[in-house]
Amino acid sequence: MQLWDKLKGELPDLEPQFERGEFGDLAGWLRENLHRHGRKYTSKEMLERITGGGMDPAPYIRYLKSKLGEIYGLPVEAGATA
């Protein structure tokens, strides 16, 4: 989720692009930020290079609260973190 948050921060129009069947910006971002490095870095190093920090569960917890809130009709605090 950290990578997804970073990607959406840099490409805010991403989801409407997906709805139109356009994936070029996503492919370009992945190529530039991830794929071009191949196996040069460990997963941990790559995460730190792309997001600027180490593993953080907060984005995943936000995602789960949002998703489960939708599914089960639970209230979700706006902008809530862990």
Side-chain angles (χ1 to χ4, degrees):
M1 293 314 303
Q2 283 175 259
L3 290 178
W4 182 250
D5 283 356
K6 179 70 173 181
L7 195 148
K8 284 182 62 177
E10 293 183 14
L11 302 173
D13 189 41
L14 198 59
E15 290 181 21
Q17 289 180 33
F18 289 171
E19 291 172 4
R20 294 188 303 267
E22 299 170 2
F23 301 97
D25 285 350
L26 170 64
W29 189 92
L30 289 171
R31 186 173 31 260
E32 179 64 27
N33 293 284
L34 186 67
H35 298 156
R36 74 185 184 115
H37 298 292
R39 294 178 57 179
K40 184 175 180 181
Y41 303 105
T42 65
S43 298
K44 179 181 175 186
E45 291 169 331
M46 186 58 67
L47 180 66
E48 291 171 356
R49 290 179 62 83
I50 294 173
T51 66
M55 182 69 73
D56 179 9
Y60 186 61
I61 292 171
R62 273 195 309 275
Y63 164 77
L64 288 176
K65 285 182 176 181
S66 173
K67 183 58 81 176
L68 294 176
E70 290 176 22
I71 292 171
Y72 296 107
L74 303 172
V76 178
E77 298 174 30
T81 58

